[in-house]
């Protein structure tokens, strides 16, 4: 599938992300911004796509509107609510992918959710495993989860 090749190319080439660097910022600032957007916007939209594919149409609109509303109100929210919103949006989205995929026996969707949960909770981004930085393993496992997600849509 050509999308998998494009995805792997993007993951394997850190210069690809450098195109998105913010004016006056650096690569790390841009990476933090896009990681946050991926968590807050990306995961709910990924969940919306998979929920629609799995036949759970009534959840598509809330998963589309909730992250947009959160982004719109973000600057006005107190820090506690910002942190709660950040974690809640992505956590609920991943759990929805898992539950929906289990209900319709979409195995690739289940594997996708498992990979994302493992990356976020077990691997994390701090430390090393067998001499390999956790942040690298974290990104590899997320890439595998995204490949399973792509396959789950077929």
């Amino acid at each position: 599938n050509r999308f998998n090749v494009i995805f792997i190319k993007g993951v394997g080439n850190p210069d690809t992300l450098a195109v998105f660097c913010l004016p006056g910022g650096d690569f790390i600032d841009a990476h933090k911004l896009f990681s946050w957007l991926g968590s807050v916007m990306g995961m709910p939209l990924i969940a919306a796509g998979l929920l629609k594919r799995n036949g759970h149409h009534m959840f598509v609109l809330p998963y589309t509107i909730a992250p947009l509303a959160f982004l719109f109100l973000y600057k006005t929210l107190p820090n506690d609510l910002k942190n709660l919103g950040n974690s809640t949006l992505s956590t609920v989205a991943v759990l929805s992918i898992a539950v929906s995929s289990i209900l319709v026996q979409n195995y690739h969707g289940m594997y996708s959710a498992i990979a994302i949960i493992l990356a976020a909770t077990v691997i994390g981004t701090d430390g090393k495993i067998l001499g390999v930085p956790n942040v690298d393993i974290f990104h590899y496992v997320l890439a595998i989860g995204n490949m399973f997600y792509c396959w789950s849509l077929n």
Side-chain angles (χ1 to χ4, degrees):
N1 185 328
R2 90 185 103 158
F3 292 113
N4 291 341
V5 173
I6 292 168
F7 178 77
I8 291 169
K9 167 72 172 98
V11 169
N13 183 1
D15 295 331
T16 305
L17 188 59
V19 174
F20 298 109
C21 283
L22 302 173
D26 63 4
F27 183 76
I28 293 174
D29 290 339
H31 183 267
K32 286 179 183 176
L33 171 66
F34 286 107
S35 295
W36 177 76
L37 280 173
S39 172
V40 171
M41 280 296 289
M43 282 312 305
L45 293 176
I46 283 173
L50 191 65
L51 288 165
K52 182 176 181 182
R53 185 259 179 235
N54 286 347
H56 301 115
H57 300 281
M58 67 183 193
F59 295 107
V60 173
L61 191 59
Y63 278 87
T64 306
I65 292 174
L68 291 173
F70 181 68
L71 285 178
F72 183 74
L73 298 172
Y74 189 78
K75 290 283 187 187
T76 64
L77 298 174
N79 283 339
D80 290 349
L81 241 69
K82 286 179 183 178
N83 293 334
L84 180 64
N86 290 341
S87 59
T88 301
L89 285 169
S90 57
T91 301
V92 169
V94 173
L95 292 176
S96 299
I97 290 171
V99 170
S100 172
S101 296
I102 289 168
L103 291 174
V104 299
Q105 296 181 345
N106 181 341
Y107 296 108
H108 289 117
M110 286 186 252
Y111 301 149
S112 172
I114 290 168
I116 293 166
I117 291 167
L118 281 175
T121 59
V122 176
I123 298 167
T125 56
D126 298 328
K128 289 185 177 188
I129 298 175
L130 300 174
V132 179
N134 282 18
V135 69
D136 291 345
I137 298 169
F138 172 83
H139 284 102
Y140 298 144
V141 174
L142 282 183
I144 291 167
N146 283 327
M147 287 174 40
F148 277 122
Y149 171 73
C150 291
W151 292 332
S152 72
L153 296 176
N154 292 331

